[in-house]
Amino acid sequence: MVKKVSLKDIALKIGVSTALVSYVLSGNEEKGRVGKETAEKIRQVAKELNYQPNHIAKSLKTGKTNTIGLIVADISNPFFASIARAVEDESGKYGLTTIIGSSDESPEKLKNLVEVFIKRQVDGFIISPPDHSEETIEYIISLGIPICLIDRHFDHVKSSYVVTDNKESMQKAVSHLLGMGYKNLAFIAYNSTLQHMKDREQGFLDATSEIYSQVYKINFSKQHDELASTIEVILNEQKADAIVFATNTLSVAGLKYLTQHKVKIPQDLNVMCFDFSEVYDFFYHPIIHVKQPIEQLAKESVTILFNQMKEEHLQQLVLNSELITKTRVMV
Amino acid sequence: MVKKVSLKDIALKIGVSTALVSYVLSGNEEKGRVGKETAEKIRQVAKELNYQPNHIAKSLKTGKTNTIGLIVADISNPFFASIARAVEDESGKYGLTTIIGSSDESPEKLKNLVEVFIKRQVDGFIISPPDHSEETIEYIISLGIPICLIDRHFDHVKSSYVVTDNKESMQKAVSHLLGMGYKNLAFIAYNSTLQHMKDREQGFLDATSEIYSQVYKINFSKQHDELASTIEVILNEQKADAIVFATNTLSVAGLKYLTQHKVKIPQDLNVMCFDFSEVYDFFYHPIIHVKQPIEQLAKESVTILFNQMKEEHLQQLVLNSELITKTRVMV
DNA sequence: ACAATTAGCTTAATCGATTAAAGCAAATTT
DNA sequence: AAATTTGCTTTAATCGATTAAGCTAATTGT
């Protein structure tokens, strides 16, 4: 391992103090009132020796690590993977490094991850919180650590967040379905107290006040079985003409179930999905879905967090989503 | 922000030196030869004050950050997202934190990421290297930084790695196709000098020596157009009865193209894919594919890297994959 | 001409933990 | 009784950068 060049090496070589070198290289010449020639010389030698500042020493002194913690439900879920990718790219632009964790929708796991990340002294958090994790979020806030929630938030927790306009998106999307002539809708969502889930449900209810519809909620932990039995009920008892799925996992799992049970979409039953999935491209007919602005969500969350790390102000952002009714054209 | 508790606070409270506290809390009692009572007292007060050691100070002193850098082609690609998830989980068990980067298959981006991560003083790397990135890998090695390649490696670069037995997997899989009666095969791979790609091609060639077959290579950067035209050629000119795809991106993109062009699988043409994808579940007939042991690859890479961080020895590991010929049963 | 300012640079403390070396009793050996 | 060992603990240097405070000589003001 080659020995690292430190401020001291530069200082020694030129014959000045490390203080001067620090002033110049951290861009505080005026503050240190460094002479022009000396400054030039320092910069030159620094380049010559290929000086790389030691992040860790800097962190120890300044208390800032320039690292942020991103915690999502599951990084192997394409939705969150896309968020992670965009957060990673965006935070890089600000000189921030991102460490990632998956909560598996468990408040306990979230708490553990948060503790690990705090020990690592992250400067801020971007979190897509699981159900019943208010305490941990409030704990972070109480420590004065900047945080920006993403995709989900708690109405009664005072924090920054970036979310989609879930209620309006859902309402518009379902209205579109009604406009197509469907009259007996089923809505499948997770059993959750999270605001985004409640909003999506409300959007569905607002849009379906004049027709027959049913809302089904399934538990995240037993979703496989419950989804299957729910769809059975919808097909055999409710005899709905379209199903609205509230999330991307539900959408994909639902489509899979329908496909494997030879239910033709949209002939036998139509669907309305939330979030984009690659699998939509494998249907001959377009899968109507609400496309959240994932990249924008991620980028804005980084920006909001970054601002919050400098100044002390919260920001809430609600972004519009897009209703996709046609298959992308294959060029 | 609540003031952090340091060694000093504990020392002060008890009336001992910070050295003693450090010895006890870092588990070096014997080394410091600390008295039993004192040690107990220190532990007690540490718990009382909820002492959390300062990672950064420790890193500065020890030169170890307990952080590893994971660089894959694209974290939003499900294959790499799964790897990332498993690496994250596994490294957590060793007390390591993972920072992730996406190279987008570009050697320049890789180099930049590596530089950023080195500045961050990661203790080691797990990298799925893009084509033509030998230099950067060798650079890391020359710095004495532990590294374990994953999924891909360079035959002529002396490093640790964990890969699948690409040649054998492919050979077995293609033989299976032949056993099913297919006699005119097409192989679609990326144009790449990476060993795993060459191995997969060799596996294909070894298996098809007795029948008619064609190998097509497309460029990663123009894959969309080239894949389309290649499949056209396969369908219209070669008139192959089955296509073998060399990677998961090719598999999914190929299936998508075939589906959208109403090519029935397996009636009109069968396929053999590499890696699992969620989209396979949307076909009525099973999609034959080679399933790499993703989790195991990831776990082993962490273990190998961890060992390498302690002792100075390289390790190469080749794992077996599984040939999937049936659809998973939906319970 | 003499005080006040300013430009240019250094000193030294600090962040928090680690660890070799040294100190000092008490206990043991010679 | 002197010498050595053992047990327990402290001292102090160190990792590398930051930054308030201090110092000196040159410059400016009146």
Side-chain angles (χ1 to χ4, degrees), chain A residues 55-66 121 123, chain B residues 56:
Chain A
H55 261 280
I56 296 178
K58 186 171 182 172
S59 292
L60 180 58
K61 181 63 189 173
T62 62
K64 296 262 148 267
T65 54
N66 290 312
Q121 294 179 247
D123 292 339
Chain B
I56 297 180

Side-chain angles (χ1 to χ4, degrees), chain A residues 6-7 19 22-23 51 53-54 57-58 61:
Chain A
S6 71
L7 282 190
S22 172
Y23 284 128
Y51 168 72
N54 185 320
K58 186 171 182 172
K61 181 63 189 173

Side-chain angles (χ1 to χ4, degrees), chain B residues 56-71:
Chain B
I56 297 180
K58 184 169 183 173
S59 292
L60 179 59
K61 179 65 190 176
T62 62
K64 295 262 148 268
T65 55
N66 290 312
T67 302
I68 62 175
L70 169 68
I71 304 181

Side-chain angles (χ1 to χ4, degrees), chain A residues 315-326:
Chain A
Q315 200 176 334
Q316 284 89 27
L317 195 58
V318 179
L319 299 177
N320 294 323
S321 58
E322 196 183 348
L323 181 65
I324 308 287
T325 56
K326 295 182 194 162

Side-chain angles (χ1 to χ4, degrees), chain B residues 263-327:
Chain B
V263 177
K264 299 266 181 246
I265 301 166
Q267 297 89 335
D268 301 344
L269 176 86
N270 208 347
V271 296
M272 224 275 321
C273 297
F274 215 88
D275 292 323
F276 171 75
S277 166
E278 190 152 49
V279 309
Y280 301 164
D281 290 338
F282 288 85
F283 287 82
Y284 291 115
H285 290 272
I287 299 292
I288 306 164
H289 63 279
V290 173
K291 189 178 166 210
Q292 295 196 71
I294 297 190
E295 275 196 25
Q296 214 188 331
L297 282 170
K299 282 190 179 186
E300 293 290 356
S301 71
V302 174
T303 307
I304 289 176
L305 183 63
F306 188 74
N307 288 335
Q308 207 176 313
M309 277 159 49
K310 292 190 306 185
E311 306 141 52
E312 192 67 39
H313 68 255
L314 303 182
Q315 200 176 336
Q316 283 90 25
L317 196 57
V318 179
L319 300 178
N320 295 324
S321 57
E322 194 183 348
L323 181 64
I324 309 287
T325 55
K326 296 184 193 161
T327 307

Side-chain angles (χ1 to χ4, degrees), chain B residues 67-174:
Chain B
T67 302
I68 62 175
L70 169 68
I71 304 181
V72 294
D74 180 7
I75 182 71
S76 64
N77 171 331
F79 175 73
F80 292 116
S82 299
I83 286 188
R85 176 63 205 268
V87 166
E88 176 199 316
D89 288 351
E90 189 70 8
S91 63
K93 292 184 196 159
Y94 291 96
L96 301 171
T97 297
T98 306
I99 59 184
I100 303 179
S102 300
S103 72
D104 284 325
E105 302 286 4
S106 147
E108 287 78 30
K109 275 203 186 175
L110 175 73
K111 198 174 160 212
N112 289 338
L113 279 169
V114 165
E115 256 151 29
V116 170
F117 284 11
I118 288 181
K119 275 189 201 161
R120 289 274 170 175
Q121 294 178 247
V122 293
D123 292 339
F125 281 100
I126 295 177
I127 297 181
S128 184
D131 208 3
H132 305 302
S133 63
E134 291 94 324
E135 265 186 38
T136 302
I137 304 303
E138 279 167 340
Y139 170 66
I140 294 172
I141 296 173
S142 77
L143 291 179
I145 303 177
I147 178 173
C148 181
L149 300 183
I150 186 168
D151 178 47
R152 313 163 174 186
H153 76 288
F154 302 102
D155 231 16
H156 51 287
V157 173
K158 229 183 126 197
S159 74
S160 291
Y161 60 78
V162 195
V163 296
T164 305
D165 58 339
N166 288 294
K167 200 174 93 178
E168 293 73 15
S169 302
M170 187 55 92
Q171 208 241 307
K172 247 190 268 178
V174 174

